[in-house]
Amino acid sequence: MLTVSGVAGLPEIREGDDLAALILAHTSLVDGDIVVITSKIVSKAEGRLVAASDREDAIAAETVRVVAERGSVRIVENHLGIVAAAAGVDASNVPEGHVLLLPVDPDASARRLALRLREVAHVGVLISDTLGRAWRLGQTDAAIGAAGVRLFEQPERDADGRPLAVTMSCVADELCAAAELVKPKDGHVPVAIVRGRADLVGDLDLPGARSIVRSPDEDLFRTGG
């Protein structure tokens, strides 16, 4: 059975805080758990807060390619390969007069956290962020960092035994979206524990979330072809 539980009671995160210690102080982990952590608290702990007056400069610094632009709205690719509005620079749930950048290397952040948490239990770690989706309204959480988690499932046959040629589920994104249901933006619950998918927890040398990003040579929309 799959269960998803929010971790309540975490304090406001500040630069230098020990996230792993705080998580362990507020929940009990067991082998096979997947810990889904909102990128915002990772960024706060890593000191990625900048003055709001520098927001445009911050967006420009995080941008490697402008994908689309209309008025003041810019959809860009950032240095992580993520395509998002304003390069992921965020002003919600941060101190007045500041904005927050995404972690420099979410996969490395996830690995550091996983190493600490694995001193207690054999768990995987996903770092999530809220992203939009092409051709669909609204946003959902997706994985931007991962450590010790198998990111994809690819069944070979359907229920009737017919071969499946192109079906591949990004379970990392699915788990982050499920975790968002117990991590509301106004609820001060930035961490969730997914239990019941121990089969997805593996070695820390598994590919990180950067491998979810489609490579440029496979991106048909980049050229319009």
Side-chain angles (χ1 to χ4, degrees):
M1 179 177 66
L2 182 74
T3 64
V4 185
S5 306
V7 177
L10 289 168
E12 177 63 30
I13 303 301
R14 304 185 187 281
E15 183 175 357
D17 281 351
D18 188 337
L19 285 184
L22 288 170
I23 291 169
L24 291 172
H26 286 82
T27 191
S28 297
L29 299 176
V30 300
D31 290 349
D33 283 350
I34 298 174
V35 185
V36 184
I37 305 170
T38 302
S39 65
K40 188 160 293 179
I41 66 168
V42 177
S43 291
K44 288 179 177 179
E46 294 180 354
R48 297 285 283 162
L49 204 64
V50 299
S53 59
D54 297 330
R55 183 173 188 270
E56 292 304 315
D57 290 340
I59 293 172
E62 295 291 296
T63 297
V64 299
R65 179 173 65 98
V66 176
V67 177
E69 188 171 8
R70 179 177 293 174
S72 61
V73 178
R74 276 175 290 167
I75 307 299
V76 305
E77 179 185 344
N78 66 16
H79 67 93
L80 300 172
I82 296 169
V83 175
V89 176
D90 195 355
S92 64
N93 290 319
V94 297
E96 190 69 29
H98 293 78
V99 294
L100 198 64
L101 311 183
L102 292 175
V104 173
D105 187 342
D107 284 332
S109 301
R111 182 180 174 83
R112 287 192 293 270
L113 287 163
L115 282 168
R116 291 285 309 285
L117 297 177
R118 285 190 176 199
E119 294 174 6
V120 174
H122 185 71
V123 302
V125 171
L126 295 173
I127 295 176
S128 66
D129 194 55
T130 304
L131 301 175
R133 289 128 335 118
W135 306 303
R136 298 181 72 83
L137 295 176
Q139 298 82 35
T140 187
D141 273 17
I144 67 166
V149 179
R150 294 181 178 87
L151 307 178
F152 299 100
E153 285 184 320
Q154 190 165 15
E156 295 181 357
R157 297 184 180 277
D158 67 12
D160 296 317
R162 290 186 293 266
L164 294 171
V166 296
T167 299
M168 183 169 69
S169 299
C170 184
V171 287
D173 283 352
E174 291 174 336
L175 293 176
C176 287
E180 183 186 15
L181 297 175
V182 298
K183 297 194 288 109
K185 300 296 185 288
D186 59 354
H188 301 290
V189 182
V191 178
I193 309 301
V194 178
R195 188 164 292 171
R197 289 307 309 263
D199 58 304
L200 297 176
V201 178
D203 296 335
L204 292 181
D205 60 359
L206 286 167
R210 186 63 184 259
S211 66
I212 298 174
V213 177
R214 194 181 295 275
S215 62
D217 61 313
E218 295 179 331
D219 185 357
L220 298 180
F221 302 103
R222 184 181 292 254
T223 60

